[in-house]
Amino acid sequence: APSPQPSLAPTPRPTSVPTPVPTLDACTYTYIACGQTLAGNNLDGNTQVDPTTTAGTGVQGAVDATGTSASFYSPHGVALSPDGTMLYVADTLNNKIRQVDMTSSVVSTLAGTGVAGDFDSDGLLGTGLGVATLYGPTGVAVSPDGKWVYVADTGNNKIRKVNAATGGVTTLMHTVNDGNSDTTLDGPTDVSVSPNGATVYVADAGKARICTIDIVASDAGDPRAPVTGGVLAGAFDDANGYAPSQGSADGTALCVGGDLSSCAKFEKPAGISVAPNGLMLYVADSDNYAIRAIALSTDGTSATGESRRTTSPSCRSTSAKTPLPFRGSSHARVRTRAVSPRALANSRDRKS
């Protein structure tokens, strides 16, 4: 389990009226969590400009305010709402989910009190709103209808679900059936949602596997009852109590017991993203210094082919591997990088 992290007390939201700023185009901007700030970079055709800071002072803090007057504490994952009006931020060491209004640049807290904990608060059964607690959330994703923000609550080994309108928090998933037995998550670091909203994918870093959550089944049951997830990719050794087998091999996406020599293996998969057509899942295999690709079935619930590398970066670090999820960052900002479709096409042509 991760060691306790410092947490900051919640701060009042600003009462002043913010100065409007131009709305960012959700189709051409990529948002980057950079230490304690949010920032952006614009690629227009072949011209690249420097990143611009969207929110954050560059100094750690927990202040809800406008733009660069707001502060963060080691933000990690970011996700944009489908309509491009709201940017959600996993503010890891503040134990909060923050949101940035992309029209006004106002930063506010959607969920989390600032104190590390594990308490659901959805406004039902007398639990109230605004009192839910998180522990080191690192990944966020938004449902296609914009109603839900899914959170990799890393320190609690859970996937949480946040109502984007009310900030109500419930636990979506804590245990996974690996084909042999139910096991708990171990430091999940990122989440991604299928284009149809039916499946949430989870990078379960500590157990070197990629998991799935059936949202249709979850919605059909008690909204406050966590569901059991499945495993999409990973190798599990029956000779060692079905423990995850870490490694860097490409191969069959999922193997449970038996000969694992032809099976895909991961080592601390930290980031995950599903393709817009829902037929491919990309994984940042952190401690293998590789990007992996998993072909998906048309309904997105299972792997149809092998896990394979899409690239093998040459910029490997010579420093010791550091444990997830709390890889530190010192810039205290969220940055944005803007990329035009034409620039992306030109970049692909140059690499081919």
Side-chain angles (χ1 to χ4, degrees):
S3 57
Q5 301 294 327
S7 57
L8 302 176
T11 53
R13 298 185 182 184
T15 56
S16 59
V17 177
T19 301
V21 298
T23 302
L24 296 179
D25 182 352
C27 298
T28 60
Y29 278 77
T30 301
Y31 301 89
I32 304 167
C34 182
Q36 332 297 346
T37 2
L38 291 170
N41 176 271
N42 184 11
L43 280 176
D44 183 8
N46 293 318
T47 304
Q48 180 173 345
V49 299
D50 292 335
T52 57
T53 297
T54 302
T57 62
V59 177
Q60 68 187 46
V63 177
D64 284 343
T66 302
T68 54
S69 296
S71 56
F72 301 85
Y73 191 2
S74 195
H76 280 68
V78 291
L80 192 66
S81 63
D83 62 5
T85 62
M86 195 70 74
L87 185 70
Y88 299 99
V89 183
D91 195 0
T92 304
L93 295 187
N94 273 328
N95 304 303
K96 293 181 177 183
I97 302 302
R98 314 284 291 281
Q99 55 187 7
V100 184
D101 186 306
M102 301 312 296
T103 300
S104 65
S105 285
V106 169
V107 178
S108 58
T109 297
L110 176 65
T113 64
V115 177
D118 181 11
F119 183 71
D120 285 349
S121 165
D122 60 2
L124 302 175
L125 300 179
T127 60
L129 288 169
V131 294
T133 51
L134 308 165
Y135 183 17
T138 57
V140 288
V142 187
S143 63
D145 59 11
K147 294 181 178 179
W148 301 102
V149 180
Y150 300 107
V151 179
D153 192 5
T154 310
N156 281 321
N157 300 313
K158 291 182 176 182
I159 304 304
R160 313 287 287 276
K161 184 171 76 169
V162 183
N163 187 310
T166 67
V169 178
T170 54
T171 296
L172 179 61
M173 191 260 276
H174 177 49
T175 59
V176 173
N177 189 288
D178 61 12
N180 175 65
S181 62
D182 289 350
T183 60
T184 59
L185 293 170
D186 185 6
T189 52
D190 202 11
V191 286
S192 186
V193 189
S194 63
N196 63 6
T199 305
V200 170
Y201 302 97
V202 180
D204 193 15
K207 288 186 175 170
R209 62 188 179 182
I210 307 303
C211 302
T212 59
I213 305 172
D214 186 338
I215 297 301
V216 176
S218 172
D219 289 347
D222 184 341
R224 298 178 301 280
V227 298
T228 298
V231 179
L232 179 75
F236 305 92
D237 187 0
D238 56 352
N240 190 26
Y242 290 92
S245 179
Q246 298 191 59
S248 59
D250 289 341
T252 304
L254 178 61
C255 296
V256 182
D259 182 4
L260 303 182
S261 60
S262 63
C263 302
K265 299 179 179 68
F266 301 87
E267 189 167 355
K268 289 189 172 66
I272 194 168
S273 182
V274 65
N277 65 5
L279 298 180
M280 192 72 73
L281 188 69
Y282 298 99
V283 180
D285 197 5
S286 176
D287 279 1
N288 279 322
Y289 311 99
I291 306 302
R292 316 287 289 277
I294 304 170
L296 300 173
S297 58
T298 53
D299 63 2
T301 61
S302 61
T304 60
E306 297 184 342
S307 168
R308 59 179 176 80
R309 276 170 173 70
T310 59
T311 183
S312 182
S314 59
C315 51
R316 293 192 176 199
S317 170
T318 57
S319 61
K321 296 174 182 177
T322 53
L324 292 169
F326 300 112
R327 284 181 167 159
S329 181
S330 59
H331 300 291
R333 358 185 140 196
V334 178
R335 317 287 302 272
T336 56
R337 179 179 296 269
V339 184
S340 72
R342 182 159 60 93
L344 285 176
N346 290 341
S347 175
R348 293 191 189 101
D349 290 341
R350 287 195 298 270
K351 292 178 181 178
S352 60

